[in-house]
């Protein structure tokens, strides 16, 4: 992959600057954010290597962020259950090396700056929500990520992805990337609408946001008025909020 041209500079941005990384089962994405959460450099992306043990991921992240300007700290979203900077589940990666892996510490040691890690859907949610009422974020990608916020506060993590939604299929199997490719756009969209109905009955949300890379394939005209398609960049821009202490204190109580 050719390194993208990077515009902007540290001098032009208000600090501290955050290296925000969105770790996905298919792609790794990153940018550097100013204190307001604005990207000061174009987003960079590479494919996620497979198999992907922790050391493989760290090496790939080094390649990913090499073209980006300097930063002061790191935020990362990871597609699995994250607790206190440790990875409890890594369903999209292979091998046993992820069990209780201290990813926040590993990132800090690798890049020489403090790091904070949260589930990827929760990071995306922090970049989307208004902070009013019960807001749900579902990310559509390799699998399905989920996050629930009550008046802006993150609730305990719920792994919808691994629960059954239709017959013996989990959310991941029903509306994940493999299902989208196998069934085509029309049937996959019908499945997405069914998922929205199920989640509505389960959670009774005020607003639901659909994010993730596959949200671009959702037919917005078929969605209820309280369901919105969100920018996939929120998986990066939400990273700055991990360094807002009131937010992080609230998040830490739930992870």
């Amino acid at each position: 992959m050719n390194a993208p041209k990077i515009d902007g500079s540290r001098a032009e941005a208000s600090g501290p600057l955050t290296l925000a990384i969105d770790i996905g089962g298919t792609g790794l994405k990153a940018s550097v954010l100013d204190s307001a959460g604005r990207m000061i450099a174009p987003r960079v992306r590479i494919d996620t290597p497979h198999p992907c043990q922790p050391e493989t991921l760290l090496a790939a992240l080094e390649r990913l962020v090499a073209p980006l300007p300097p930063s002061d700290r790191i935020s990362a979203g990871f597609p699995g259950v994250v607790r206190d900077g440790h990875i409890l589940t890594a369903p999209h990666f292979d091998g046993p090396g992820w069990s209780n892996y201290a990813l926040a510490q590993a990132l800090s040691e690798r890049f020489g700056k403090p790091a904070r890690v949260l589930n990827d859907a929760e990071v995306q949610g922090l970049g989307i929500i208004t902070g009013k009422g019960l807001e749900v974020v579902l990310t559509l990608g390799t699998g399905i990520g989920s996050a629930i916020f009550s008046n802006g506060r993150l609730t305990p993590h719920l792994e919808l992805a691994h629960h059954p939604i239709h017959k013996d299929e989990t959310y991941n199997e029903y509306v994940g990337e493999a299902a989208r490719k196998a069934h085509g756009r029309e049937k996959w969209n019908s499945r997405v609408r069914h998922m929205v109905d199920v989640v509505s009955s389960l959670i009774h949300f005020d607003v639901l946001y659909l994010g993730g890379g596959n949200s671009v394939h959702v037919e917005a005209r078929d969605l209820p008025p309280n369901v919105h398609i969100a920018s996939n960049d929120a998986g990066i821009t939400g990273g700055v909020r991990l360094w807002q202490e009131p937010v992080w204190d609230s998040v830490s109580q739930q992870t």
Side-chain angles (χ1 to χ4, degrees), residues 19 36 48 52 65 67 93 107 110 125 156 192 221 226 228 244 250:
L19 171 60
T48 302
C52 191
V65 307
F93 299 147
L107 287 170
R110 191 80 166 211
V192 170
R221 66 177 181 273
N226 63 336
H228 308 298
Q244 296 172 358
S250 173

Side-chain angles (χ1 to χ4, degrees), residues 54-139:
E55 181 59 32
T56 307
L57 176 66
L58 292 173
L61 292 178
E62 279 192 314
R63 296 193 301 273
L64 172 72
V65 307
L68 294 173
S71 58
D72 303 296
R73 57 199 187 183
I74 300 170
S75 293
F78 185 88
V81 178
V82 180
R83 186 168 298 157
D84 193 27
H86 290 69
I87 305 304
L88 301 190
T89 66
H92 303 301
F93 299 147
D94 304 312
W98 288 105
S99 180
N100 204 37
Y101 182 72
L103 181 57
Q105 178 181 339
L107 287 170
S108 181
E109 292 174 353
R110 191 80 166 211
F111 293 100
K113 59 196 70 177
R116 291 177 175 175
V117 180
L118 197 62
N119 170 267
D120 59 341
E122 293 170 346
V123 174
Q124 184 155 151
L126 289 171
I128 295 170
I129 60 170
T130 65
K132 298 178 181 179
L134 191 61
E135 298 175 278
V136 174
V137 177
L138 297 178
T139 57

Side-chain angles (χ1 to χ4, degrees), residues 17-236:
L17 302 181
T18 304
L19 171 60
I21 302 171
D22 184 1
I23 300 168
T26 302
L28 308 174
K29 301 174 286 291
S31 187
V32 174
L33 311 176
D34 67 10
S35 59
R38 295 181 294 256
M39 293 187 191
I40 69 165
R43 186 184 73 164
V44 292
R45 184 194 184 281
I46 61 173
D47 290 341
T48 302
H50 287 282
C52 191
Q53 291 283 5
E55 181 59 32
T56 307
L57 176 66
L58 292 173
L61 292 178
E62 279 192 314
R63 296 193 301 273
L64 172 72
V65 307
L68 294 173
S71 58
D72 303 296
R73 57 199 187 183
I74 300 170
S75 293
F78 185 88
V81 178
V82 180
R83 186 168 298 157
D84 193 27
H86 290 69
I87 305 304
L88 301 190
T89 66
H92 303 301
F93 299 147
D94 304 312
W98 288 105
S99 180
N100 204 37
Y101 182 72
L103 181 57
Q105 178 181 339
L107 287 170
S108 181
E109 292 174 353
R110 191 80 166 211
F111 293 100
K113 59 196 70 177
R116 291 177 175 175
V117 180
L118 197 62
N119 170 267
D120 59 341
E122 293 170 346
V123 174
Q124 184 155 151
L126 289 171
I128 295 170
I129 60 170
T130 65
K132 298 178 181 179
L134 191 61
E135 298 175 278
V136 174
V137 177
L138 297 178
T139 57
L140 308 175
T142 307
I144 306 304
S146 59
I148 304 173
F149 298 84
S150 178
N151 291 318
R153 293 178 65 88
L154 180 66
T155 68
H157 187 69
L158 180 65
E159 276 286 271
L160 281 178
H162 306 296
H163 284 257
I165 184 173
H166 179 73
K167 296 182 179 179
D168 60 346
E169 289 185 302
T170 66
Y171 283 71
N172 274 352
E173 294 164 336
Y174 189 65
V175 288
E177 173 69 356
R180 187 185 70 81
K181 289 182 175 179
H183 297 293
R185 187 182 186 99
E186 183 176 349
K187 185 171 182 179
W188 181 79
N189 267 276
S190 176
R191 287 180 167 219
V192 170
R193 290 191 296 273
H194 176 64
M195 177 190 68
V196 168
D197 291 341
V198 170
V199 174
S200 178
S201 297
L202 177 66
I203 301 175
H204 299 285
F205 52 77
D206 294 307
V207 182
L208 170 67
Y209 305 95
L210 297 177
N214 278 343
S215 63
V216 298
H217 302 294
V218 175
E219 296 289 350
R221 66 177 181 273
D222 296 332
L223 298 175
N226 63 336
V227 178
H228 308 298
I229 297 176
S231 169
N232 194 33
D233 283 344
I236 294 175

